[in-house]
Amino acid sequence: MAVLAASTRDDNAAMDLSRFPRRRYTPTPTPLEPLPRFSAALAASCPGGRGPEVWIKRDDLLGLAPGGNKTRKLEFLVADALAQGADTLVTCGAPQSNHCRITLSAAVKEGLRCRFVIEERVPDSYRDDASGNHFLFRLLGVEALTVVPAGTDMAAAMQRVADELRAQGRKGYVIPGGGSNALGGLGYVAGAQELQQQGFEQGVRFDVVVVGSGSSGTHGGLLAGFLGNRIATPIVGIGVSRDPPDQAPLVHAEAQAVCDLLGLDLRVPHDAVRCVGGYWQPKYSLPNARMVEAVQMLARSEGIVLDPVYTGKVMAGLIGLARAGELRAGQRVLFIHTGGMPSVFAYERELLGLQAVAP
Ligand SMILES: *Cc1c(COP(=O)(O)O)cnc(C)c1O
């Protein structure tokens, strides 16, 4: 690929992230570990009883309460909010949004207030007394929360909140859903650099990286980081809410926006954006049987808890690709655990197999 070959002095300077203001919420790199028992369990259900060697990057152990992929994005977004003199973070998400909860946790830590616009993507799914992330919204002290129906213009709804704050002499800073703009994507450029350094220190190389692909800041930011740092490992994004025809353009746009913000002189090649669909159905956030299998399999082989909305479906995708022979024996595959643990408490019966779920 031409983009990987061209290396200019300017491009090297572009990858120096130290010029962007950043708050630090995680003191050390997140663990990068093999999953030998999970890999063995997976192999037993793969063609010929052999499967890939699966590793995990524990981004569920990032900082904040508890952390996840949004922690990396917020390091740059909150630094920008503080630089602009904001006193309140305004963001949006679903009723069990990890992004909202982690943003609130960052706000508390910084002495800021925090307001949400919650999109009821599944009609009638919002409950004032819900557990999981919603409980944490209340425990961490969200200042206000507005619930709007699916399909609402979320940018406009958040702007209305910011306008109300301004009318009161306050200053809101609007963070888009998932923290996925160019600035937020820098979090996963930093994540790519961390991974590169760590792989070097541990003497491990990966043939494929598997990551969740939703609002696309993680997948797109990581891709920008791989291109900018000339890491040739392909990234496979498993969709959590869209199939490839709808997801790939989002990821491409995010990766390009991050490259542009960095000042990299490159066009993101369309074939570098690899998206896999079919694992998120019947709908975003609604459980399916393959997700339940994946969550149980990792929990019971390695003692690591995935979540039902994102990482469970992403791991179901990894398992499905291995069983289809698309991830093979002899390949080393890195799964990025992007967090989300609190929402298991909103899906207990489904995850234990006590309540029927979609196939
Ligand atoms: C938000 C989220 C994702 C998806 O990341 P995006 O950057 O929105 O694509 C994956 N996993 C978890 C646990 C999340 O909370």
Side-chain angles (χ1 to χ4, degrees):
M1 261 183 290
V3 271
L4 296 180
S7 175
T8 66
R9 187 180 306 190
D10 281 348
D11 274 7
N12 289 335
M15 297 315 292
D16 177 5
L17 296 180
S18 65
R19 67 195 191 280
F20 295 99
R22 180 186 188 187
R23 302 292 296 162
R24 293 307 309 262
Y25 298 134
T26 315
T28 54
T30 59
L32 178 67
E33 297 169 341
L35 296 175
R37 295 178 193 281
F38 175 82
S39 300
L42 175 59
S45 65
C46 285
R50 286 161 44 82
E53 178 186 323
V54 185
W55 284 57
I56 194 165
K57 173 82 171 145
R58 295 292 307 273
D59 273 10
D60 58 316
L61 300 180
L62 287 162
L64 302 175
N69 59 344
K70 307 311 180 306
T71 305
R72 290 195 190 271
K73 305 178 193 186
L74 287 163
E75 291 193 333
F76 291 94
L77 292 165
V78 176
D80 189 46
L82 292 170
Q84 293 188 22
D87 55 44
T88 307
L89 302 180
V90 179
T91 197
C92 66
Q96 279 293 333
S97 170
N98 298 308
H99 166 68
C100 285
R101 180 250 311 157
I102 300 179
T103 301
L104 171 59
S105 165
V108 172
K109 188 175 172 65
E110 300 288 5
L112 304 173
R113 280 173 282 183
C114 191
R115 296 189 173 201
F116 304 148
V117 181
I118 298 292
E119 182 184 8
E120 207 175 23
R121 294 192 203 168
V122 177
D124 297 322
S125 60
Y126 178 82
R127 279 187 22 229
D128 242 343
D129 63 347
S131 180
N133 283 307
H134 181 84
F135 159 74
L136 290 172
F137 298 167
R138 298 167 68 194
L139 182 66
L140 293 163
V142 68
E143 187 183 32
L145 174 161
T146 315
V147 184
V148 299
T152 300
D153 179 342
M154 299 306 280
M158 288 191 288
Q159 192 50 52
R160 279 194 293 278
V161 176
D163 292 345
E164 279 166 33
L165 290 169
R166 197 179 35 230
Q168 297 163 21
R170 288 173 52 183
K171 183 155 185 191
Y173 180 90
V174 174
I175 296 177
S180 290
N181 54 17
L183 199 56
L186 289 185
Y188 267 89
V189 175
Q193 294 181 346
E194 177 180 309
L195 178 62
Q196 185 176 39
Q197 178 68 19
Q198 202 171 24
F200 173 61
E201 282 168 9
Q202 292 183 217
V204 54
R205 289 171 62 88
F206 297 99
D207 297 296
V208 184
V209 172
V210 174
V211 69
S213 200
S215 67
S216 84
T218 306
H219 185 181
L222 201 61
L223 178 56
F226 274 36
L227 291 169
N229 288 290
R230 289 162 181 85
I231 303 169
T233 310
I235 302 168
V236 174
I238 312 284
V240 296
S241 52
R242 291 173 207 94
D243 281 333
D246 298 317
Q247 186 66 16
L250 284 184
V251 176
H252 186 271
E254 169 73 9
Q256 188 65 58
V258 176
C259 288
D260 293 348
L261 176 63
L262 288 166
L264 279 172
D265 182 22
L266 67 78
R267 308 307 305 161
V268 174
H270 283 276
D271 65 2
V273 178
R274 303 189 187 193
C275 292
V276 170
Y279 290 93
W280 57 273
Q281 284 86 351
K283 204 172 166 63
Y284 167 79
S285 82
L286 290 188
N288 63 43
R290 289 187 292 189
M291 175 280 289
V292 172
E293 182 201 13
V295 173
Q296 290 185 356
M297 197 165 148
L298 190 68
R300 294 170 185 181
S301 61
E302 298 282 352
I304 297 173
V305 178
L306 297 171
D307 83 285
V309 178
Y310 296 96
T311 53
K313 289 180 174 176
V314 178
M315 186 60 99
L318 185 155
I319 293 169
L321 292 172
R323 287 179 181 162
E326 289 176 48
L327 298 172
R328 296 176 306 279
Q331 286 190 315
R332 191 178 285 142
V333 178
L334 177 64
F335 173 83
I336 302 194
H337 189 338
T338 44
M341 208 273 219
S343 59
V344 296
F345 301 109
Y347 295 83
E348 289 173 358
R349 291 177 53 79
E350 292 90 340
L351 292 173
L352 291 175
L354 301 173
Q355 187 166 317
V357 297

